[in-house]
Amino acid sequence: MEFLAAIGRAFLVFLEATGRLALFTSRAVSHCFRPPVYARLIGRQMIDIGYYSLPVVGLTALFTGMVLALQSYTGFARFQAEGAVATVVVLSITRELGPVLAGLMVAGRIGAAMAAEIGTMRVTEQIDALTTLATNPMKYLVAPRLIAGLCMLPLLVVVADIIGVFGGFLVAVYKLGFNPANYLSKSWEYLQFMDVVSGLVKAGVFGFFVSLMGCYHGYHSRGGAEGVGTATTNAVVSASILILISNYLITGMFFSK
Amino acid sequence: MTGSPPKIALSGVNKRFGDKVVLDGLDLTVGKSESLVVIGGSGTGKSVMLKCILGLLRPESGSIMVDGEETVSKTRGDREAMLRKFGMLFQGSALFDSLKVWENVAFGLIQGRHMPRVQAKEIALAKLAAVGLGPEVGELSPSELSGGMQKRVALARAIATEPEVIFFDEPTTGLDPIMADVINELIVKCVKDLGATALSITHDMASARKIADRIAMIYQGKIIWCGKREDIDHSGNAYVDQFINGRAEGPIRMQVRAL
Ligand SMILES: Nc1ncnc2c1ncn2[C@@H]1O[C@H](COP(=O)(O)OP(=O)(O)OP(=O)(O)O)[C@@H](O)[C@H]1O
Ligand SMILES: [Mg+2]
């Protein structure tokens, strides 16, 4: 009996958390579409997410592209398919690794920062102060971050795609001795519009999740510095998990038969 | 208080956190353009009471009327309109640390009233001057200020929109005696000149005597005494006597054990 009660309790807690998140999400999204629009705040968040994440995302993409070329070359050499290196690199980067790695890096960088900032505002009563100054904290704090996350991650991924493919190109040409022109035309040959589009759709969804988790956990944090720390950890972990799960689902939507 | 309803009227307000009862059927009224000071021991629920009135916390039961309108059942949108009448000085200042000092003070004007930034800045600097802070302070960030300066900025922010009702949660705590008196005078001025209704919380009896029209004492979640400022010294209430004289012996027992 004790055991069943424990399961029941855990299930109720889960339901409550899901309900709370759903409510938070719908309220936050509805505020994205209603005036006033805080253009200044959206701009600042966009710079934070887009511009300042460029180095870390670029570096990740560069080395991922490079290692992809190296791995697929040595792997495919076993059945004389080295010619597929260019295609493998470009497809893996645009469809999969660009968005996922950028999403995870941004989750660590931005999701954590959002949770910490909003969490600190919560525990120091700044969110209460916003309310008393007749400003809706959902609209002022959450909506701009959601919009910025949704818009900026696809742009970041475009850059990541280019840098990643370029990384593969560098290794292929300078280390593996491919002909540059040949490699490039191979890259283009099998690349379809949908490959890139699916990656950008993923990026938009991931960006939304990163912002949502950062805001949600920050907004509901309690209990001083320790609570803010927990919120930060939860934001990064839950955003990463959501990214990985939704990645599978979106891939299924785009490419299943 | 004849005819028109009191500005704020609380009756039978209960608020609990888990098993801990903080407000236990609290009744309190504040008249229009009146300055009421609430005194009471640390942790007796004074700040919680203010937050219930503002709707930041939701009481389990009881009624809170502002201008004769029930607020507990209000929806978010209606409450936002109501909050435009209010200014609040938080006990911990609660300044926005992502904004400059002057932007903090001007926040209610820019976001709440949609005033142009240039004009709002002018007003903000005037309010800062009124709390003894020069224009150079306006360009700093709140984290660069001392605790007492932060408190004064928070005070300037609370009065910047010249609200009808202002809550001061321990306005003079952490200030030197002279600055505390300047702030007391500022509060009196807000009430007298602007006709604002003030509800203040303080432990500082000198400040209470200066700014209050009436004084109320909260103990164990209830108002146990409420009367005119002049009457506080002969209230005939043993709890009030102990509190205003700051004696350890008396009916109020602190939860402490000797070392
Ligand atoms: N968010 C909260 N969660 C749980 N308990 C709370 C919360 N806020 C306040 N309390 C409890 O309510 C009681 C009253 O708190 P409150 O802040 O109103 O005290 P106060 O009268 O303002 O004291 P002080 O003079 O020290 O500021 C305290 O015992 C506190 O533990
Ligand atoms: Mg307090």
Side-chain angles (χ1 to χ4, degrees):
Chain A
M1 250 5 240
E2 274 299 299
F3 177 66
L4 284 182
I7 292 183
R9 261 196 302 277
F11 187 62
L12 285 182
V13 168
F14 174 75
L15 278 189
E16 190 196 327
T18 315
R20 209 163 59 149
L21 176 60
L23 210 63
F24 182 87
T25 310
S26 63
R27 265 176 60 202
V29 169
S30 79
H31 277 296
C32 294
F33 294 104
R34 277 184 283 155
V37 179
Y38 294 111
R40 183 188 288 262
L41 294 175
I42 297 175
R44 190 157 71 199
Q45 292 302 326
M46 284 185 160
I47 292 173
D48 248 13
I49 299 176
Y51 185 70
Y52 289 113
S53 299
L54 269 178
V56 61
V57 168
L59 216 59
T60 312
L62 181 69
F63 281 98
T64 307
M66 285 164 65
V67 88
L68 259 180
L70 210 52
Q71 284 279 23
S72 48
Y73 180 79
T74 50
F76 288 181
R78 293 178 193 163
F79 39 94
Q80 283 76 45
E82 298 96 329
V85 168
T87 316
V88 169
V89 168
V90 77
L91 288 190
S92 325
I93 292 276
T94 52
R95 279 184 171 203
E96 201 49 54
L97 294 169
V100 171
L101 290 177
L104 292 176
M105 295 315 273
V106 171
R109 220 187 77 82
I110 297 296
M114 282 182 186
E117 187 181 357
I118 296 182
T120 306
M121 292 187 74
R122 165 62 73 196
V123 300
T124 56
E125 300 185 323
Q126 290 179 49
I127 293 186
D128 288 343
L130 271 181
T131 311
T132 63
L133 290 163
T135 302
N136 191 319
M138 281 294 213
K139 178 161 275 145
Y140 187 81
L141 293 175
V142 180
R145 286 172 168 79
L146 288 184
I147 295 172
L150 184 70
C151 299
M152 290 320 280
L153 216 66
L155 290 183
L156 265 178
V157 166
V158 169
V159 177
D161 285 353
I162 294 169
I163 295 180
V165 171
F166 179 67
F169 172 82
L170 284 184
V171 168
V173 171
Y174 291 104
K175 195 169 160 72
L176 307 174
F178 280 72
N179 174 303
N182 220 339
Y183 183 92
L184 279 185
S185 72
K186 267 272 171 28
S187 294
W188 275 116
E189 201 179 329
Y190 294 104
L191 183 67
Q192 288 174 1
F193 186 59
M194 252 327 162
D195 297 328
V196 178
V197 168
S198 74
L200 297 187
V201 169
K202 282 180 179 179
V205 173
F206 298 167
F208 179 80
F209 280 147
V210 167
S211 293
L212 182 70
M213 287 296 112
C215 294
Y216 174 77
H217 288 286
Y219 202 82
H220 293 285
S221 67
R222 58 182 69 220
E226 197 188 341
V228 176
T230 314
T232 310
T233 312
N234 287 344
V236 176
V237 171
S238 57
S240 307
I241 292 176
L242 279 177
I243 286 176
L244 296 175
I245 295 177
S246 62
N247 179 44
Y248 178 79
L249 296 178
I250 299 172
T251 308
M253 267 164 48
F254 270 95
F255 298 113
S256 65
K257 295 267 158 67
Chain B
M1 275 182 278
T2 47
S4 69
K7 197 76 189 172
I8 301 170
L10 287 76
S11 60
V13 174
N14 289 297
K15 177 69 201 173
R16 285 189 289 143
F17 291 104
D19 292 336
K20 189 183 164 83
V21 177
V22 178
L23 301 181
D24 183 14
L26 184 126
D27 300 309
L28 186 71
T29 54
V30 192
K32 213 173 163 66
S33 303
E34 180 188 40
S35 172
L36 180 81
V37 169
V38 176
I39 57 174
S42 187
T44 47
K46 303 181 298 295
S47 301
V48 168
M49 178 187 76
L50 293 190
K51 286 183 191 164
C52 285
I53 301 174
L54 291 168
L56 300 172
L57 293 172
R58 204 186 177 89
E60 272 83 44
S61 62
S63 120
I64 300 175
M65 313 271 263
V66 174
D67 284 329
E69 264 184 76
E70 182 61 55
T71 66
V72 177
S73 52
K74 270 199 163 125
T75 61
R76 240 156 222 292
D78 292 345
R79 176 159 288 137
E80 210 162 284
M82 180 198 93
L83 282 171
R84 278 173 211 279
K85 297 185 204 169
F86 284 81
M88 164 89 178
L89 164 65
F90 284 84
Q91 187 168 358
S93 296
L95 297 175
F96 306 128
D97 36 34
S98 58
L99 299 178
K100 287 180 193 167
V101 165
W102 79 262
E103 289 173 318
N104 263 281
V105 177
F107 194 92
L109 299 168
I110 296 174
Q111 304 297 348
R113 309 260 156 114
H114 309 292
M115 189 183 275
R117 285 173 72 83
V118 183
Q119 195 185 346
K121 182 168 187 178
E122 237 165 68
I123 297 179
L125 292 181
K127 298 290 173 190
L128 281 173
V131 295
L133 298 170
E136 70 286 352
V137 177
E139 299 300 327
L140 300 176
S141 112
S143 59
E144 295 173 288
L145 305 182
S146 77
M149 289 163 91
Q150 290 181 3
K151 188 124 235 173
R152 285 185 275 157
V153 173
L155 187 88
R157 183 176 70 180
I159 60 174
T161 54
E162 306 193 345
E164 290 171 37
V165 186
I166 318 177
F167 292 168
F168 300 102
D169 197 345
E170 310 203 0
T172 57
T173 308
L175 302 181
D176 65 82
I178 302 172
M179 190 42 80
D181 204 51
V182 172
I183 296 304
N184 288 335
E185 262 161 28
L186 186 71
I187 294 174
V188 172
K189 195 160 163 268
C190 285
V191 177
K192 293 283 168 311
D193 296 359
L194 306 176
T197 305
L199 175 53
S200 320
I201 288 172
T202 186
H203 300 288
D204 172 2
M205 285 313 297
S207 164
R209 284 172 210 276
K210 183 134 192 179
I211 62 183
D213 296 325
R214 282 196 305 144
I215 298 180
M217 169 137 173
I218 184 171
Y219 181 65
Q220 293 190 338
K222 291 189 183 69
I223 299 292
I224 55 164
W225 186 84
C226 186
K228 290 214 167 61
R229 164 180 59 180
E230 305 84 69
D231 300 335
I232 185 105
D233 290 312
H234 31 85
S235 61
N237 186 311
Y239 293 90
V240 176
D241 280 341
Q242 185 193 351
F243 189 88
I244 62 174
N245 295 307
R247 284 192 300 257
E249 304 87 46
I252 305 175
R253 299 250 63 104
M254 291 286 166
Q255 304 283 328
V256 289
R257 197 178 302 169
L259 286 174

